[in-house]
Amino acid sequence: MRYGYWAPVFGGWLRNHPGEDGAASWESMSRLVRRSEEIGYDLTLIAELNLNDIKGVQAPALDAWSTAAALAAVTNSIELMVAVRPNFHQPALFAKAAANIDNIAGGRLALNVVSSWWAKEATSYGLQFDEHDDRYARTSEWLQVVDGLWREPQFSFSGRYYTLDQAIVEPKPVKRPRPVIYAGGESDAAKTMIARQCDAYVMHGDTPEHIKLKIADMRERREREGLPPMHYGMAAYAIVRDSEAEALAEQARITTIPGLDAGSPPPGFANFDQWLSGTQLERELKIQEYSVSNRGLRPQLVGTPEQIAARVEAYEDAGLDLLLLQMSPQEEEMERFSAQIIRR
């Protein structure tokens, strides 16, 4: 198992308790990521959202790609998985900039390709927002362009969304033949595109039984394409405590939504409703899961070190090889998880 975590681009990951996390700042970001290398974390996921989805749209949110370039220069070993939304980036210019970041990082850049879901954010910035299957069609074409530019000395392309004429990207990325491309999605259009064009499949949190079924489905799709095996990752929220009772008490605290019954929920609640309307989920997403994003509590990495270690083994048996963790307060809890789970 590799251990990754969501970088604090929003300052933290709890929707219901906006005051307990750190600031969305370069200082806190760089301190946490540099420390994470020292204590055993393999990867950090840097989310790309220009508006703050967790704390409310008026709250600060760090830009993903300028942050990634800065982190590339001040870190040594950690993989930088940076989210990218094709409707926000012209692919040829993106391929040039991302290749440069990979050179700064010495081959540690990876992409998390997200086919977008937040219509209001896109329209606020004057950007195209496609319908669901059209988003994946755009992403497929966008990936063809980026991949071609990273592999070929010159690359031309004529498609529905993009046209290039003998474009050149030099220097190429250090990582050959290209940086690792992660993507997630639960619709058939998403899974078909990912099996054909990506290297790793990332999932929302779920039970080992359901994760095993999802991995089996993607393995079968991948084999039909005649491509090598993929890697598989999953989001999860972790609470490690000395006793199960302490861990469950913390879970109860963070899943309380202040003001919901009185009609005055936290600022990010409207974004949650919009996200539900823009996705195609395989299983019902319960309203109480609003408090922790990406269905992070479904894996139940909540309990004593022994309980969590056993749970991690169950996911390894299911075929999972990467955990993308959220915790809060992040610095304190990442230290605890490292000492009691990773380094142990």
Side-chain angles (χ1 to χ4, degrees), residues 10-23 54-56 59 258 266-267:
F10 300 141
W13 294 99
L14 288 184
R15 288 192 167 107
N16 305 339
H17 303 274
E20 74 174 26
D21 296 314
I54 301 297
K55 308 299 185 183

Side-chain angles (χ1 to χ4, degrees), residues 4-312:
Y5 62 92
W6 297 67
V9 294
F10 300 141
W13 294 99
L14 288 184
R15 288 192 167 107
N16 305 339
H17 303 274
E20 74 174 26
D21 296 314
S25 70
W26 164 246
E27 290 77 13
S28 60
M29 172 74 79
S30 60
R31 181 178 63 250
L32 184 141
V33 176
R34 285 183 284 117
R35 176 59 178 163
S36 74
E37 289 188 316
E38 299 173 356
I39 59 176
Y41 290 91
D42 302 289
L43 176 152
T44 184
L45 168 55
I46 305 169
E48 181 185 57
L49 285 169
N50 296 299
L51 299 178
N52 193 320
D53 170 47
I54 301 297
K55 308 299 185 183
V57 296
Q58 301 296 330
L62 298 182
D63 172 70
W65 283 93
S66 57
T67 299
L71 287 172
V74 300
T75 55
N76 299 300
S77 61
I78 197 160
E79 182 178 337
L80 302 171
M81 184 211 289
V82 194
V84 56
R85 290 174 297 167
N87 61 320
F88 277 57
H89 298 269
Q90 199 277 347
L93 298 178
F94 171 84
K96 177 72 174 177
N100 197 52
I101 295 173
D102 190 59
N103 275 267
I104 296 169
R108 292 182 288 119
L109 180 71
L111 306 187
N112 175 29
V113 180
V114 181
S115 293
S116 206
W117 57 265
W118 198 353
K120 177 175 180 2
E121 186 200 29
T123 56
S124 293
Y125 282 83
L127 297 166
Q128 175 68 31
F129 188 81
D130 303 310
E131 294 302 316
H132 183 273
D133 285 3
D134 290 336
R135 298 205 297 273
Y136 286 98
R138 178 186 291 277
T139 297
S140 178
E141 198 170 291
W142 188 93
L143 282 170
Q144 291 177 62
V145 171
V146 171
D147 185 71
L149 287 164
W150 281 345
R151 292 176 185 264
E152 304 295 334
Q154 289 187 331
F155 186 70
S156 298
F157 186 86
S158 179
R160 175 182 172 188
Y161 301 99
Y162 306 108
T163 300
L164 284 77
D165 182 19
Q166 297 184 331
I168 297 169
V169 166
E170 293 291 347
K172 301 295 187 193
V174 172
K175 181 78 172 180
R176 304 298 290 160
R178 68 181 187 194
V180 176
I181 297 176
Y182 298 79
E186 297 187 347
S187 68
D188 186 67
K191 290 186 284 191
T192 298
M193 184 273 294
I194 293 166
R196 288 175 179 168
Q197 294 180 264
C198 300
D199 309 303
Y201 182 54
V202 288
M203 295 163 277
H204 291 302
D206 217 324
T207 64
E209 296 75 20
H210 281 90
I211 292 298
K212 185 175 182 178
L213 292 173
K214 291 177 180 180
I215 290 175
D217 175 45
M218 289 301 290
R219 281 177 174 164
E220 182 179 345
R221 291 170 183 265
R222 188 76 166 177
E223 288 169 2
R224 287 202 302 265
E225 299 295 333
L227 295 170
M230 305 183 80
H231 294 284
Y232 297 95
M234 181 190 71
Y237 191 93
I239 302 173
V240 189
R241 294 293 185 271
D242 293 336
S243 71
E244 183 179 19
E246 290 176 283
L248 292 175
E250 172 65 3
Q251 177 176 302
R253 184 186 73 83
I254 68 171
T255 53
T256 300
I257 304 179
L260 183 61
D261 294 337
S264 57
F269 192 78
N271 303 340
F272 178 75
D273 279 345
Q274 189 175 143
W275 176 69
L276 282 181
S277 69
T279 60
Q280 293 182 10
L281 299 177
E282 292 175 345
R283 301 175 67 212
E284 180 185 5
L285 183 61
K286 298 177 181 178
I287 197 68
Q288 60 263 34
E289 292 182 348
Y290 159 77
S291 57
V292 171
S293 66
N294 302 95
R295 286 178 266 174
L297 287 172
R298 288 195 184 187
Q300 279 298 288
L301 297 187
V302 177
T304 65
E306 294 76 17
Q307 288 173 316
I308 292 177
R311 195 72 170 169
V312 171

